[in-house]
Amino acid sequence: MIIELDMQSDIPIYTQLVNQIIEGIASGRLKLGEPLPSVRSLAADIGVNLHTVNKAYTLLKQDGYIQVHRQRGVVIDPEGMPPVTEEFMAKQHSQLKPIVAEAICRGMGKQQLIDMVELIHKEITETDNEKGNA
Amino acid sequence: MIIELDMQSDIPIYTQLVNQIIEGIASGRLKLGEPLPSVRSLAADIGVNLHTVNKAYTLLKQDGYIQVHRQRGVVIDPEGMPPVTEEFMAKQHSQLKPIVAEAICRGMGKQQLIDMVELIHKEITETDNEKGNA
Amino acid sequence: MIIELDMQSDIPIYTQLVNQIIEGIASGRLKLGEPLPSVRSLAADIGVNLHTVNKAYTLLKQDGYIQVHRQRGVVIDPEGMPPVTEEFMAKQHSQLKPIVAEAICRGMGKQQLIDMVELIHKEITETDNEKGNA
Amino acid sequence: MIIELDMQSDIPIYTQLVNQIIEGIASGRLKLGEPLPSVRSLAADIGVNLHTVNKAYTLLKQDGYIQVHRQRGVVIDPEGMPPVTEEFMAKQHSQLKPIVAEAICRGMGKQQLIDMVELIHKEITETDNEKGNA
DNA sequence: GTGGTCTAGACCACT
DNA sequence: GTGGTCTAGACCACC
């Protein structure tokens, strides 16, 4: 799992971490039950503070993406991903709203917007996700 | 123009302001050339500091949504909205990506996602924007 | 004398006025002794406040560009333009410095900068300045 | 990096700051990738409010002169300076125009003006920029 | 420690 | 009246 961080971005590093891991799961590169590096080793790998990795893992755990065991370490939750709750839908809605509004303002058509969503969907799911490295 | 702020949200107030004004333009409630309240009056109205409103206006000005006219005050840019630049598309892409990824993880189908985008699009554009029920 | 004002500019209107009148003199469109419109009529013409025109004229008078007579009204100083004083040179220097510095940073060569100065010089002096309207 | 501010000047402090930092880069005293003092420490050093320094840094960031690194703090953009865009040329042109016009009015010859530009160019680039007299 | 955000209150420049 | 600038002081998020 390659993590790419942008230290200049105004997006917090822990958020970038969370996003990348979720993307990894979405793309199939990370499978259910698959172990993740320990806080310590991941922090060393990508050159960030322990706290930062810890915060990312904590958030992922809270949302039900990963399990953290004292012994076995961190793994993608083997029992499956969190469901589509009301709350989740509301969050998606509120995140999407300003994006759609801005697109409308600038004259980006609805279809163009949908095309972009489909493109991104494709980009994520069509990653080389066949067993990692067959 | 009714502004709704969530003071508890972790989204900065000035960002909420920016988003709401962009939504107002997208929905047609705010028309090109239409004046916006002065920094001070809007700040008083919504109960925040004038600097907060000022920051929102400054950002909107930078992006080409509004003009700060020396005499007429602040108006929606009468010469039209900013165009769909490469940079804008890239921003949309990077904002959309984590949303799509999370949807995939949770088993929200692509069509469901597109439906939500269409719904939001409809919600924004089908606001009662006929000059106040004329 | 056509005055072009940009109400969106962050340059004060009175400064724009001063600049345009100085340009007019530099280009020869405005000649020594030539009358300028009264504060009242100029303000009406270009649609700005009396105070604004008044301030511009006051500054021009202070610097020795114009004379203001109760009776004859406002005229370009018939006795000639203000000289190149030490003070003026210092002002030019301090105004030019940040412009030159920024050009250097961005990799604009010294010659390019000089070319631009020469171009502007040409633009100003080669305006149709033959007796106003021969 | 020595910063000299004129608190009496009608040029905003944050603008003076921006100019001085750009001059520092142009002169070579500030090198690509070199760190700048933190907002707070610089503010304390030069005796202004941290918001004033913040505004200067924000502007420099917007124009691509500096990067605000999440961990390393503020640094001169190590990837180089912003390019000479159309927009930049237009800005230079409009800033130069009144300066040239005034020079013409006062009888300062074109060559004198160019000499001054060359002088300033020399002053900036010939600063002792060899890593502190190595 | 850093920068980011927000407040409260002030003064000034401009129109 | 407007927006622009600056100050002083606070809290928070991030690292």
Side-chain angles (χ1 to χ4, degrees):
Chain A
M1 178 76 191
I2 300 152
I3 302 277
E4 284 182 4
L5 297 179
D6 178 359
M7 306 312 258
Q8 273 88 60
S9 168
D10 53 350
I11 298 168
I13 294 175
Y14 75 84
T15 303
Q16 294 185 48
L17 260 174
V18 166
N19 286 343
Q20 299 232 359
I21 290 170
I22 290 179
E23 262 174 53
I25 302 173
S27 73
R29 282 196 306 274
L30 293 175
K31 302 203 180 352
L32 300 192
E34 186 166 331
L36 252 35
S38 73
V39 172
R40 194 164 256 99
S41 71
L42 181 52
D45 264 21
I46 58 183
V48 301
N49 196 294
L50 285 180
H51 299 342
T52 309
V53 177
N54 209 3
K55 179 152 189 179
Y57 277 0
T58 302
L59 287 173
L60 286 165
K61 184 175 142 196
Q62 272 172 13
D63 279 353
Y65 286 102
I66 64 173
Q67 286 183 354
V68 180
H69 295 97
R70 282 204 185 288
Q71 305 286 0
R72 275 177 283 163
V74 182
V75 296
I76 308 294
D77 194 324
E79 296 171 16
M81 291 293 101
V84 177
T85 60
E86 281 278 331
E87 191 189 355
F88 172 69
M89 291 288 275
K91 198 189 75 179
Q92 294 282 80
H93 190 282
S94 68
Q95 285 180 332
L96 245 16
K97 198 168 181 183
I99 299 176
V100 174
E102 205 171 354
I104 294 171
C105 275
R106 293 190 184 236
M108 190 177 171
K110 188 174 72 176
Q111 194 51 50
Q112 248 182 304
L113 201 55
I114 292 172
D115 287 351
M116 183 174 266
V117 171
E118 290 201 311
L119 172 67
I120 294 170
H121 194 280
K122 208 171 164 186
E123 283 172 358
I124 295 175
T125 54
E126 289 194 358
T127 317
D128 174 11
N129 55 5
E130 305 297 328
K131 296 177 209 159
N133 33 16
Chain B
M1 179 75 191
I2 300 150
I3 303 277
E4 285 180 5
L5 296 180
D6 178 0
M7 307 308 265
Q8 313 313 327
S9 167
D10 54 348
I11 297 169
I13 295 175
Y14 72 82
T15 303
Q16 295 184 47
L17 261 173
V18 166
N19 286 342
Q20 299 233 356
I21 290 171
I22 289 180
E23 269 171 46
I25 300 173
S27 74
R29 282 195 306 275
L30 293 174
K31 300 200 183 357
L32 299 192
E34 187 165 329
L36 253 34
S38 79
V39 174
R40 279 173 175 76
S41 68
L42 181 52
D45 267 20
I46 58 184
V48 302
N49 191 279
L50 87 174
H51 287 113
T52 308
V53 176
N54 201 14
K55 180 153 188 179
Y57 277 4
T58 301
L59 289 172
L60 286 165
K61 183 171 95 182
Q62 272 170 16
D63 280 354
Y65 287 101
I66 65 174
Q67 282 185 353
V68 180
H69 228 271
R70 256 177 201 290
Q71 19 200 213
R72 274 178 271 163
V74 181
V75 297
I76 308 294
D77 195 324
E79 296 175 14
M81 292 293 101
V84 177
T85 59
E86 282 277 329
E87 194 188 355
F88 172 70
M89 292 287 276
K91 200 190 73 181
Q92 294 283 79
H93 191 283
S94 68
Q95 285 179 332
L96 244 18
K97 198 169 180 182
I99 299 176
V100 174
E102 205 170 354
I104 294 171
C105 275
R106 293 190 183 236
M108 190 176 171
K110 188 174 73 175
Q111 194 52 48
Q112 247 183 302
L113 200 55
I114 291 173
D115 287 350
M116 181 173 267
V117 170
E118 289 202 311
L119 172 66
I120 294 171
H121 195 281
K122 207 172 163 185
E123 283 173 359
I124 295 176
T125 54
E126 289 194 357
T127 315
D128 176 10
N129 56 5
E130 304 295 330
K131 292 182 196 166
N133 308 349
Chain C
M1 178 76 190
I2 299 152
I3 303 278
E4 284 181 4
L5 298 179
D6 179 359
M7 305 314 258
Q8 273 86 61
S9 168
D10 54 351
I11 299 168
I13 293 176
Y14 76 83
T15 304
Q16 293 184 49
L17 260 174
V18 166
N19 286 343
Q20 299 232 358
I21 290 171
I22 290 178
E23 262 173 53
I25 301 172
S27 73
R29 282 195 307 273
L30 294 174
K31 301 204 181 350
L32 300 192
E34 186 166 331
L36 253 34
S38 74
V39 172
R40 195 163 257 100
S41 71
L42 181 52
D45 264 21
I46 57 182
V48 302
N49 196 294
L50 286 180
H51 298 342
T52 309
V53 177
N54 208 4
K55 179 152 188 179
Y57 277 0
T58 302
L59 288 172
L60 286 164
K61 184 175 140 196
Q62 273 172 13
D63 279 353
Y65 287 100
I66 64 174
Q67 285 183 354
V68 180
H69 295 98
R70 281 203 188 289
Q71 306 284 0
R72 275 176 283 163
V74 183
V75 296
I76 307 295
D77 195 324
E79 296 171 16
M81 291 293 101
V84 177
T85 60
E86 282 277 331
E87 191 189 355
F88 172 70
M89 290 289 274
K91 197 188 75 181
Q92 295 282 81
H93 190 282
S94 68
Q95 285 180 330
L96 245 18
K97 198 168 181 182
I99 299 176
V100 175
E102 205 172 353
I104 295 171
C105 276
R106 294 190 184 238
M108 190 176 171
K110 188 175 71 175
Q111 195 52 49
Q112 246 181 304
L113 200 54
I114 291 172
D115 287 349
M116 181 174 266
V117 171
E118 291 200 310
L119 172 67
I120 294 171
H121 195 279
K122 209 172 164 185
E123 283 172 358
I124 295 176
T125 54
E126 290 195 357
T127 318
D128 175 10
N129 55 4
E130 304 297 330
K131 297 175 209 160
N133 33 16
Chain D
M1 179 75 192
I2 299 150
I3 303 277
E4 284 180 6
L5 296 180
D6 178 359
M7 307 309 264
Q8 313 312 326
S9 168
D10 54 349
I11 299 169
I13 296 175
Y14 72 83
T15 303
Q16 295 184 48
L17 261 173
V18 165
N19 286 343
Q20 299 233 358
I21 290 170
I22 289 179
E23 268 171 47
I25 300 173
S27 73
R29 282 195 305 274
L30 293 174
K31 300 200 183 358
L32 299 192
E34 186 165 330
L36 253 35
S38 78
V39 173
R40 279 174 175 76
S41 69
L42 181 52
D45 267 19
I46 58 185
V48 301
N49 191 278
L50 87 173
H51 288 113
T52 308
V53 176
N54 202 13
K55 179 153 189 180
Y57 277 3
T58 301
L59 289 173
L60 287 165
K61 184 172 92 183
Q62 271 169 15
D63 279 353
Y65 286 101
I66 65 174
Q67 282 184 353
V68 179
H69 230 272
R70 258 180 198 291
Q71 20 200 214
R72 274 178 272 163
V74 182
V75 298
I76 308 294
D77 194 325
E79 296 175 13
M81 291 293 101
V84 177
T85 60
E86 283 277 329
E87 193 189 356
F88 172 70
M89 292 288 275
K91 199 190 73 182
Q92 294 282 80
H93 190 281
S94 68
Q95 285 180 332
L96 244 18
K97 198 168 180 182
I99 299 176
V100 175
E102 205 170 353
I104 294 171
C105 276
R106 293 190 183 237
M108 190 177 171
K110 188 174 74 176
Q111 195 51 48
Q112 246 182 304
L113 201 54
I114 291 172
D115 287 350
M116 181 174 266
V117 171
E118 291 201 310
L119 172 65
I120 294 171
H121 195 281
K122 208 173 164 185
E123 284 173 359
I124 295 176
T125 55
E126 289 195 357
T127 316
D128 175 9
N129 55 6
E130 304 295 329
K131 291 183 197 167
N133 308 351

